[in-house]
């Protein structure tokens, strides 16, 4: 019963999404790839080749930073999951009505302020002359000032803080949809708290866990501000390298190659995560 | 009603939610191997009672014993009872075999033994060889049986069922009623079944407790509850009934005379508990207890016109409007007599004084 | 683990303590940022030098308050402009997408859906650079060919808007699709049956039903646009939105003015967020 | 017209803008940035988006060669009398590409050491930052000035080797070894002026390589902290005026140039930015404090010893970048 | 069945979905002001048929006339029919008054007239003064009436109803059956009602069409459909029935003799359409047509034992297992006789040869 009118309507609906995806997502990425395979051989003179990718693999700084960014992001994702799950569970299953809404709102607050502000707050807190250091000193817990900024732990604190919301929200949504009676049935059949968690709650929450992990991983991997502002002299982040290539080195070609590698990495990790957890992108991300 | 070793004994169980008393001093015993139903309207406290037995709610006061052992303070995973939830609560992330084997896994039973016992119990509920299927690959009635198998594989002393047929459609529900009863007989396990559907309770149970506002109004066999309701609530709730309000005009042993509010005189032969002359009373009269007759003589005979004919095959009925304008629902005989009645026809109704039940009106 | 299952008191206590600690962790940096907006010192850090409102209303250097900082005021305007465009576009396209995915079946739908989700798994920086590189290439080609200038394709507000739009639309699509999925198509049929035209049915029945989702996604889009940094950084031209301005300031000399801006930002976005939630729950 | 100005923080104070707008009727929009970002932005816009920019003089010719992002200065529109002639000439020489002049001098200054004399009085040269006595309490940027400063301090002459990539690479290798060795001494590599000022002010860092103005600003707060011209010589830079290739308000840009080079305006800028300008008599109206601090840091010998950045040949930054990357990666 | 000006005439309507034929050459007429039900199992094509009448689906072939005008090609918003949807499809974003007034607004009726007409129709369905309420502020039964009012305010020639009672609970459904019928009588509008619940169709309809696999098996009054089902499908689908498979042993005018597969001999007195000796046949026998008797003499009398007793008040029944092991469901008389029967009791069953229906087995 596809009449001509509804055909027309269909194409009218199809036009914006195609424009959006083709012009803003697909073509730019093709363009990025094209630039990444052009090598600069002199002022205003370029030729095609994989030299930029070769540069990435021959310079330890690049691939080490790359690997570091990946591992730290995975670590941050795992940490966020571990810290966020109990909170999501508390909100979804242990609170009702007004309390639930309030706690949920409180989880959202960090998201409502720009990342810059959040990071700025952590800097005020963590620095050697900052609030926590002073607090510890005045409590007599430490003798001198303690430096908590400029290290990987500070980056972790910031990354987890920045992305926890994106873990908690999908988790709350999926856990909310878990019928209490399933948990009760688990206990009724003799399960302990651990067993019920492992066999009933976690499998049910899997789509939420995966969706949360994907988003958190992407946010960490693509983060720029937190590692730059909170990290120390060894705390390099791959997005920082991309920025450096684009801005301070005027080397768009290498920067594009870096960008493409980061994209490949993120796709790979997301793909592996989906395969391992036997979920699909549509099923996890498409339902938030 | 009294058994040397009842599987389940509740004495004076009470549950308060803040100021609201959901279950109010309920006491009962369920003998081993019997099918016990708790029947009551929505919100009367059935689920609360069942959840106290399962351990998901602590009684405010009273005791609860299973096989003689008090269950107060025992967590749900340590009680020898299993529960079939209203929406079954099958684990959607597991296949059927894993669902049924869940309880055994928790007890640390070996893999291969779990497998055989799961197969056995699925066999007994008539579902051999479905272990590998996902739960969305079987029908509603089959899910029902899987839920029961999941509990029965643990050999509980008492199986609790919270309106498990509520979600099924009509035809399947009719079928599962019979099936549940025969499963219970086959396993010979004590079933405690709650429902608000009187026909489920009547068809399946050995004993029925009729519950209202947190209290038991009557405990008895289906026959007793249907034919000898001990309170007005039971008479009205179990089965279809015409209610006639009136006043006691005369009282003579078990022979009562009442005048209905419409002015009709009624003769009733019943245990006249707590009734005295002049008191307001309610008479309950089942549609099938009323006969349509052609002549206007005799006890409890009155004339009227057919107000509507509800043809429904074997369950057809008519409503008759008497002179005072009040309506009486009368079941048509299954023999097909009176099938030609039409709206507006004149008829006479008659009923036996022993078929009516009469209760004083509280506070009147 | 749920209220109806009894748990040892100690476990309950630990759990509650953890939840409390977590929310303190959430609140801490923001509280600190807000508190130091009132510090009577040119540095947003200890020691506490006393309370002042100068960082909001001050006019004398170095105590120039937010309301007298031209750069900040101007970039707030820029941000608002960008956010308005982004959320308008994202909601419009998101609504179209929702209708497309929920109401139509066509070949390649699953693929298109996955493509639509892609922006969620592309790091923001890469979105930024790919659009930058691509539009520069286009502009160079066009300029070489025509000799005209195509400044719209160079870093600037247009690219910032397009860059943010390119991933925020996915969120809008998801939120609106979820709501449209819950819409009972028989409502539209009922409207037709009662004599409404096809478009009349959508306008009178479907769109009002979608309204909460549309409002919610507009608010989320606005917030995301306001706080976006990674994509914007690569695409910004001479008009910089608030986060970029703040970042520049932070690099060059952070004074409590930044805290004051942050405080205002927190208040406004929290108010927006709460409003949208209230609106949603009121409509549900 | 609207003048879109791409400049450094402090070079366009609010009062100056207000006066300029009142006098000329133009409006001014300021974007603050640094050398790399200025060039990166202009490159991305192909020389558009701004009407006037202020990169350092050594970064103009190579950028013009590579990207063609500037347009030549029309000297007829510039009131050349307002510029100190020697600086005007020097800048013109350094920013000539293909026979055209691209830059006019504006603000100049140096980078050297900012030291908390009470806690690190021994630090007098770049390499002293690697001394064990200040371990964990020093900072510098991981950028090219650091490479050059250390090279001088190690007795090398990098500027002389600018034209010889091989020789320059040799210098870079030595500096790389030194900086790698020095890495554990560093608290953090600073990035923005504010960051280093905060670190010094709070005492978290006691000695750092930094701009002279930063030291003088801190000195106002804490007399112990001040700018020290290193023994190997401070590094001198001149920030310029350039016209982006696709600026749309050239007249406003020239108006601005002529306006801010007036002595009294130049003094105002010096007072906020902390650095002196190339304006004739520009130091007349500068506050006495600032002059005193300047004189405290620079005696005549130190002034003579300033190493002025020559133009960076194209391609050299790639070598430096690789060196910096390796230092960054070292553990 | 034939009327000079029927409101709705469908002739040879057919609808194919790709290779699947959902509606197969259906023809019928609905006279003005009558209540016409289409009764059939799930998936038989009822909704498809109704949606063709409403205009949401184009027939593959056949014609469809309302008040004599062909509706082929007329869009749904131009047809003089209104529809009550299965889940009512009340607009959640509007209050009740706006819901009911929606159709009038589409027609461009003036504001004040809409207001009065909405009030009027709400009055007629027994809901005066609810216009300002939101639709989640009224009960299920009231929503039902609002949905009807929303259609009736447009004074359609035909009102279509797609299982509107399906979502209601048992007690309310019983009540609404009666109410719907009386609303139809009050408006005197033609109703076309589809359902899979035979009791709804029997109670409300003037005429019932029984549908199966896209075809109409029988059109007739409730009485005809229940008591004289013209096909085996109708006999089995409408009302409860025992099915006995057997073979025709002898044939003599309307007197048939069959031998059941279990070996019992049955005498049947029925129109022996298309039956011949030796042919396989199905006999349908309603539980209420079977009597329990104490002696084993007479026609169609056979002995057996009680297999189970299903006590359900007035609807109690027993299943009797005969010598061959086949089960027969027998309704217990409403008089309460035989209430003492227990499992295992020996009984005799008897039925009147005129009460059974017999159909040839297709393809046998
Ligand atoms: N956790 C609780 N807090 C407060 N009141 C409750 C709680 N649980 C149940 N109630 C109240 O107790 C009463 C009995 O509830 P219960 O669920 O036992 O009824 P029910 O008989 O099972 O009804 P239904 O047939 O509808 O399931 C209800 O009025 C209910 O509102
Ligand atoms: N759009 C369609 N495309 C293909 N097949 C369809 C479509 N709509 C319905 N069908 C098929 O046509 C048959 C009849 O469907 P219909 O909805 O009319 O049944 P129904 O009698 O209303 O059933 P129910 O009582 O379950 O509502 C079904 O087998 C269904 O699968
Ligand atoms: Mg209940
Ligand atoms: Mg249907």
């Amino acid at each position: 019963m596809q009449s001509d009118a509804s055909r027309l309507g269909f194409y009218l609906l199809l036009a914006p999404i195609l424009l959006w995806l083709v012009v803003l997502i697909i073509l730019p990425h093709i363009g990025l790839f094209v630039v990444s395979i052009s090598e600069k051989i002199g002022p205003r003179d370029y030729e095609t080749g994989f030299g930029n990718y070769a540069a990435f693999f021959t310079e330890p700084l690049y691939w080490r930073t790359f690997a570091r960014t990946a591992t730290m992001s995975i670590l941050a994702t795992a940490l966020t999951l571990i810290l966020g799950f109990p909170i999501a569970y508390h909100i979804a299953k242990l609170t009702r009505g007004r309390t639930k809404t309030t706690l949920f709102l409180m989880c959202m607050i960090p998201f409502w302020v720009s990342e810059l502000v959040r990071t700025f707050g952590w800097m005020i807190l963590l620095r050697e002359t900052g609030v926590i250091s002073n607090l510890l000193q005045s409590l007599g817990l430490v003798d001198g000032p303690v430096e908590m900024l400029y290290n990987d732990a500070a980056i972790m604190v910031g990354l987890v803080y920045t992305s926890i919301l994106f873990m908690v929200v999908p988790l709350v949504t999926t856990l909310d949809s878990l019928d209490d009676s399933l948990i009760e049935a688990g206990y009724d059949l003799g399960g302990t708290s651990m067993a019920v968690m492992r066999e009933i709650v976690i499998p049910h929450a899997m789509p939420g866990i995966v969706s949360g992990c994907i988003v958190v991983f992407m946010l960490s991997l693509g983060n720029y501000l937190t590692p730059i502002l909170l990290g120390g002299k060894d705390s390099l982040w791959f997005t920082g390298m991309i920025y450096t290539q684009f801005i301070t080195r005027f080397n768009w070609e290498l920067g594009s190659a870096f960008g493409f590698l980061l994209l490949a990495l993120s796709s790979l990790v997301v793909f592996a995560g989906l395969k391992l957890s036997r979920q699909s992108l549509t099923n996890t991300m498409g339902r938030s | 009603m009294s058994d040397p070793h009842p599987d389940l004994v509740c004495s004076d169980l009470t549950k308060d939610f803040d100021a609201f008393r959901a279950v109010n001093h309920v006491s009962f015993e369920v003998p081993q191997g019997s099918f016990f139903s708790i029947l009551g309207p929505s919100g009367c406290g059935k689920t609360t009672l069942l959840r106290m037995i399962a351990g998901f709610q602590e009684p405010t006061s009273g005791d609860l014993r299973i096989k003689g052992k008090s269950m107060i303070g025992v967590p749900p995973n340590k009680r020898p009872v299993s529960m079939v939830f209203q929406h079954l609560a099958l684990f959607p992330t597991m296949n059927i075999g894993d669902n049924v084997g869940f309880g055994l896994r928790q007890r640390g039973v070996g893999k291969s033994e779990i497998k055989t016992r799961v197969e056995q119990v699925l066999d007994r509920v008539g579902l051999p060889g479905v272990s590998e299927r996902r739960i969305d690959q079987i029908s509603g009635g089959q899910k029902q049986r899987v839920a029961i198998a999941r509990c029965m594989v643990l050999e509980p002393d008492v199986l609790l069922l919270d309106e498990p047929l509520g979600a099924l459609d009509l035809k399947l529900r009719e079928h599962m009623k019979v099936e549940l009863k025969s499963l219970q007989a086959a396993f010979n396990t004590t079933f405690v079944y709650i429902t608000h559907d009187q026909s489920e309770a009547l068809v399946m149970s050995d004993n029925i407790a009729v519950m209202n506002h947190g209290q038991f109004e009557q405990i008895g066999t289906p026959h007793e509850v249907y034919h000898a309701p001990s309170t007005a609530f039971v008479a009205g709730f179990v089965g279809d009934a015409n209610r006639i309000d009136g006043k006691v005009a005369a009282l003579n042993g078990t022979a009562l005379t009442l005048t209905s509010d419409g002015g009709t005189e009624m003769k009733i032969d019943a245990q006249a508990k707590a009734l005295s002359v002049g008191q307001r009373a309610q008479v309950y009269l089942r549609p099938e207890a009323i006969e349509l007759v052609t002549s206007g003589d005799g006890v409890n005979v009155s004339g009227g016109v057919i107000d509507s004919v509800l043809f429904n095959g074997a369950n057809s009925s008519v409503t008759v409007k008497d002179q005072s304008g009040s309506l009486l629902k009368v079941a048509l005989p299954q023999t097909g007599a009176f099938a030609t009645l039409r709206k507006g026809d004149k008829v006479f109704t008659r009923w036996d004084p022993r078929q009516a039940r009469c209760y004083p009106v509280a506070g009147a | 683990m749920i209220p109806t299952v009894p748990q040892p008191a100690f476990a309950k206590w630990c759990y509650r303590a953890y939840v409390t600690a977590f929310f303190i962790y959430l609140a801490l940096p923001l509280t600190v940022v807000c508190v130091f907006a009132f510090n009577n010192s040119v540095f947003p850090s200890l020691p506490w030098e006393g309370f002042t409102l100068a960082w909001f209303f001050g006019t004398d250097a170095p105590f120039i308050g937010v309301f007298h900082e031209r750069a900040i005021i101007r970039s707030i305007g820029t941000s608002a402009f960008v956010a308005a465009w982004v959320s308008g576009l994202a909601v419009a396209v998101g609504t179209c997408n929702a209708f497309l995915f929920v109401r139509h079946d066509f070949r390649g739908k699953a693929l298109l859906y996955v493509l639509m989700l892609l922006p969620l798994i592309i790091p923001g920086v890469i979105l930024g650079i790919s659009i930058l590189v691509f539009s520069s290439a286009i502009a160079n080609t066009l300029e070489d060919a025509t000799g005209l200038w195509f400044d719209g394709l160079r870093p600037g507000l247009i690219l910032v808007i397009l860059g943010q739009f390119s991933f925020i639309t996915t969120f809008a699509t998801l939120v609106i699709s979820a709501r449209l999925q819950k819409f009972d198509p028989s409502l539209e049929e009922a409207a037709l049956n009662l004599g409404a035209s096809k478009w009349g049915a959508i306008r009178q029945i479907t769109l009002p039903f979608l309204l909460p989702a549309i409002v919610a996604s507009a608010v989320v889009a606005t917030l995301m646009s306001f706080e976006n940094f990674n994509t914007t950084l690569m695409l910004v031209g001479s008009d910089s939105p608030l986060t970029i301005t703040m970042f520049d300031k932070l690099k060059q000399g952070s004074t409590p003015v930044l805290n004051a801006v942050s405080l205002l930002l927190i208040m406004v976005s929290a108010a927006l967020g709460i409003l949208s939630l209230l609106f949603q729950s009121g409509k549900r | 017209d609207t003048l879109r100005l791409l400049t450094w923080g402090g070079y366009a104070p609010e009062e100056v803008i207000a006066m300029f707008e009142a006098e000329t009727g133009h409006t001014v929009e300021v974007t603050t940035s640094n050398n790399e970002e200025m060039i990166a932005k202009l490159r991305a816009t192909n020389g558009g988006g701004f009407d006037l920019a202020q990169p350092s003089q050594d970064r103009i010719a190579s950028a013009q060669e590579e990207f063609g992002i500037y347009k030549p200065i029309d000297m007829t529109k510039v009131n050349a009398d307002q510029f100190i002639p020697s600086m005007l000439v020097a800048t013109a020489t350094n920013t000539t590409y293909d026979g055209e002049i691209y830059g006019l001098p504006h603000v100049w200054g140096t980078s050297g050491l900012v030291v908390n004399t009470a806690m690190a009085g021994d630090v007098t040269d770049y390499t002293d930052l690697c001394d064990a006595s200040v371990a964990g309490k020093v900072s510098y940027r991981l950028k090219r000035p650091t490479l050059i400063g250390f090279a001088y301090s190690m007795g090398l002459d990098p500027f002389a080797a600018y034209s010889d990539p091989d020789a320059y690479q040799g210098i870079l290798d030595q500096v790389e070894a030194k900086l790698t060795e020095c890495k554990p001494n560093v608290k953090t590599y600073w990035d923005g002026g504010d960051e280093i000022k905060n670190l010094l002010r709070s005492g978290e860092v006691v000695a750092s390589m930094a701009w002279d103005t930063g030291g003088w600003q801190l000195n106002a707060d804490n007399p112990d902290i001040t700018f020290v011209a290193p023994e190997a010589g401070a590094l001198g830079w001149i920030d310029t005026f350039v016209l982006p290739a696709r600026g749309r308000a050239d007249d406003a840009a020239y108006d601005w140039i002529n306006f801010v080079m007036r002595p009294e305006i130049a003094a105002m800028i010096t007072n906020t930015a902390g650095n002196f300008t190339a304006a004739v008599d520009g130091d007349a109206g500068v506050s006495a404090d600032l002059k005193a601090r300047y004189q405290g840091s620079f005696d005549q010998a130190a002034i003579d010893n300033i190493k002025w950045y020559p133009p960076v040949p194209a391609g050299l930054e790639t070598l430096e970048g690789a060196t910096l990357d390796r230092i960054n990666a070292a553990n």
Side-chain angles (χ1 to χ4, degrees), chain A residues 151-164:
Chain A
N151 54 43
D152 289 355
I155 297 187
M156 275 300 162
V157 168
L159 286 180
V160 170
Y161 187 82
T162 296
S163 46
I164 190 109

Side-chain angles (χ1 to χ4, degrees), chain C residues 95-205:
Chain C
T95 309
C96 287
N97 294 349
F99 274 94
L100 183 71
F101 285 120
V102 176
R103 292 288 176 84
H104 290 269
D105 263 316
F106 50 93
R107 242 182 317 128
K109 175 170 165 175
L111 177 72
L112 194 66
Y113 195 75
V114 171
L115 277 181
M116 188 275 295
L117 292 176
L118 271 192
L120 290 183
I121 61 161
I122 300 176
V125 183
I126 292 175
L127 271 181
I129 59 173
S130 65
I131 291 176
L132 171 68
V133 165
F134 179 64
S135 65
S136 298
I138 297 282
N140 289 342
T141 316
L142 288 178
E143 284 170 6
D144 288 350
T146 63
L148 301 170
W149 287 358
F150 290 88
D151 281 357
L153 290 174
R154 302 292 183 183
L157 286 191
I158 295 181
L159 284 196
V160 169
I161 289 170
L162 288 180
Q164 296 186 355
F165 163 82
S166 69
F167 72 94
I168 291 177
T169 306
T170 300
F171 286 88
T173 304
L174 288 178
V175 173
I176 299 173
S177 299
R179 177 95 184 158
L180 187 60
Q181 220 125 44
K182 289 197 202 117
F183 181 77
D184 178 1
S186 68
L187 288 178
E188 243 177 53
E189 288 180 348
L192 287 182
N193 185 256
L194 294 169
S197 65
K198 185 111 193 161
W199 168 241
I202 291 180
R203 191 173 45 81
Q204 296 178 73
I205 307 297

Side-chain angles (χ1 to χ4, degrees), chain C residues 43 70 143 151 251 253-254, chain D residues 17 37 194 201 246 248:
Chain C
F43 304 101
R70 282 222 307 192
E143 284 170 6
D151 281 357
K251 279 201 301 190
S254 58
Chain D
I17 291 174
E37 284 176 16
D194 175 59
R201 193 182 52 82
R246 293 181 173 187
R248 292 208 205 91

Side-chain angles (χ1 to χ4, degrees), chain B residues 28-339:
Chain B
F28 63 100
E29 298 183 356
V30 184
Q32 203 288 324
S34 70
F35 196 118
F36 187 85
S37 291
I38 300 169
L39 172 67
S42 185
C44 71
K46 305 181 295 294
T47 299
T48 309
L49 178 55
L50 207 68
R51 291 169 62 82
M52 285 195 283
I53 302 174
F56 295 117
Q57 221 118 46
E58 275 301 300
T60 310
S61 70
D63 194 16
L64 197 158
R65 304 178 154 269
I66 294 175
K67 290 251 192 238
K69 279 218 301 268
S70 173
M71 286 291 130
I72 304 297
V74 178
N77 46 358
K78 299 277 157 54
R79 296 192 184 193
V81 299
S82 288
M83 182 154 167
V84 176
F85 289 79
Q86 178 150 18
H87 298 285
L88 306 183
L90 295 179
F91 306 131
T93 48
M94 301 180 194
N95 67 21
I96 291 173
D98 290 344
N99 258 287
V100 177
F102 181 88
L104 295 176
R105 281 204 300 288
Q106 307 312 313
R107 293 192 182 166
V109 178
K111 273 239 164 91
S112 60
E113 193 187 336
I114 292 182
K115 211 172 139 64
T116 39
R117 283 175 66 180
V118 166
E119 286 304 334
Q120 267 171 11
V121 77
L122 283 175
D123 228 45
R124 285 187 75 180
V125 298
L127 291 173
V130 298
S131 322
E132 295 304 316
R133 291 212 220 148
R134 287 204 320 271
I135 63 159
D136 52 7
Q137 290 174 323
I138 55 173
S139 72
Q142 291 176 320
K143 279 185 197 160
Q144 204 78 54
R145 284 182 270 170
V146 171
I148 291 169
R150 187 173 71 173
C151 293
M152 294 318 293
V153 77
L154 298 175
E155 293 164 357
D157 291 337
V158 178
L159 184 70
L160 309 173
L161 302 100
D162 187 352
E163 310 200 28
L165 305 186
L168 302 184
D169 73 25
L170 201 86
K171 290 236 155 163
L172 191 53
R173 198 153 63 214
E174 290 300 321
H175 175 76
M176 286 305 295
K177 274 183 208 170
V178 182
E179 178 140 345
L180 255 182
K181 175 68 189 164
S182 60
L183 275 177
Q184 188 263 337
F187 282 109
N188 194 29
T189 300
T190 309
F191 276 34
V192 176
Y193 184 95
I194 66 179
T195 179
H196 62 249
D197 179 338
Q198 34 122 344
S199 107
E200 282 175 22
L202 291 174
V203 169
M204 293 190 279
S205 319
D206 295 319
N207 287 295
I208 299 177
V210 183
M211 194 172 185
N212 191 28
H213 291 310
Q215 280 175 308
F216 278 2
E217 299 246 341
Q218 182 173 7
I219 304 182
T221 63
H223 256 279
E224 288 165 356
V225 169
Y226 189 84
H227 290 297
S230 60
T231 66
F233 172 78
V234 177
F237 188 74
V238 180
D240 214 356
N242 293 290
R243 196 184 86 189
I244 308 160
D245 291 311
K247 219 179 211 145
V248 180
L251 185 62
N252 182 4
T254 61
L256 269 161
T257 310
L258 285 99
T259 319
S260 81
D261 292 352
T264 322
E265 181 163 289
M266 299 177 285
K267 300 246 180 257
I268 294 172
D269 186 5
Q271 242 19 61
K273 279 176 288 186
L275 279 176
S276 53
V277 175
Q279 201 184 357
R280 290 200 59 76
Q282 289 176 342
V283 175
Y284 285 87
L285 200 51
R286 306 216 176 270
E288 73 267 20
I290 308 174
E291 273 178 288
L292 293 177
V293 290
T294 38
S295 74
D297 296 335
V299 185
N300 294 333
V301 174
S302 65
V305 290
I306 300 289
D307 187 64
S308 64
V309 181
L310 300 171
F311 178 74
N312 190 10
N315 301 320
S316 302
S317 60
V318 293
T319 46
V320 179
K321 188 183 256 168
D322 70 7
Q323 293 94 328
S324 68
S326 54
L327 293 172
L328 207 60
K329 182 171 178 183
V330 180
L332 289 180
Q334 292 166 336
T335 54
F338 299 103

Side-chain angles (χ1 to χ4, degrees), chain D residues 157-173:
Chain D
D157 189 351
F159 290 164
Y162 258 25
S163 50
D164 179 355
D166 291 337
Y168 196 66
Q169 185 63 54
I171 293 176
L172 285 179
D173 290 344

Side-chain angles (χ1 to χ4, degrees), chain A residues 40 62 128-129 147 233, chain D residues 43 66 186-187 204 325:
Chain A
K40 180 170 166 182
Y62 298 157
E128 199 177 332
T129 53
E147 175 67 283
K233 58 194 174 197
Chain D
R43 179 203 165 161
E66 186 104 33
V186 179
K187 181 182 185 73
E204 291 171 38
D325 282 347

